[in-house]
Amino acid sequence: MARVVVDVMLKPEILDPQGQAVQRALPRLGFDGIADVRQGKRFELEVDGPVDDAALARIHEMAETFLANTVIEDFVVRVES
């Protein structure tokens, strides 16, 4: 079995209130020097069989239609070794 990872992040122009809340909390917890925080989602998919171009195309379609809201989010599909 192979593992395919889909990382979903808000587009840069979209405000990220959760990331901002984390960024504001870090100095109070003693973690200084962090200029920005963006929060996203990670999906790990265990794929039966080979991860060929057809499988990757199907996963890309799944990410585009189900895992990410492409109006406000970008995503990246990658195979993990």
Side-chain angles (χ1 to χ4, degrees), residues 1-2 6 10 14 17 20-21 28 31 33 46 50 59-60 66 69-72 74 78 81:
M1 264 198 239
V6 180
L10 287 171
I14 303 297
Q20 290 172 345
R28 291 192 307 265
F31 298 102
E46 295 292 330
I59 292 168
H60 189 277
F66 182 66
N69 176 351
T70 57
V71 173
I72 62 170
D74 291 323
R78 61 187 167 82
S81 53

Side-chain angles (χ1 to χ4, degrees), residues 10-80:
L10 287 171
K11 291 183 178 184
E13 61 271 15
I14 303 297
L15 293 177
D16 182 359
Q18 289 176 307
Q20 290 172 345
V22 170
Q23 180 186 4
R24 287 190 303 270
L26 289 174
R28 291 192 307 265
L29 298 171
F31 298 102
D32 296 318
I34 304 299
D36 192 25
V37 175
R38 303 286 288 177
Q39 183 171 317
K41 300 178 280 191
R42 174 184 165 111
F43 297 92
E44 294 182 1
L45 310 171
E46 295 292 330
V47 179
D48 290 329
V51 181
D52 54 12
D53 289 342
L56 282 175
R58 187 79 175 136
I59 292 168
H60 189 277
E61 179 185 2
M62 177 195 326
E64 192 170 41
T65 58
F66 182 66
L67 302 179
N69 176 351
T70 57
V71 173
I72 62 170
E73 295 173 320
D74 291 323
F75 66 89
V76 175
V77 176
R78 61 187 167 82
V79 179
E80 213 173 61

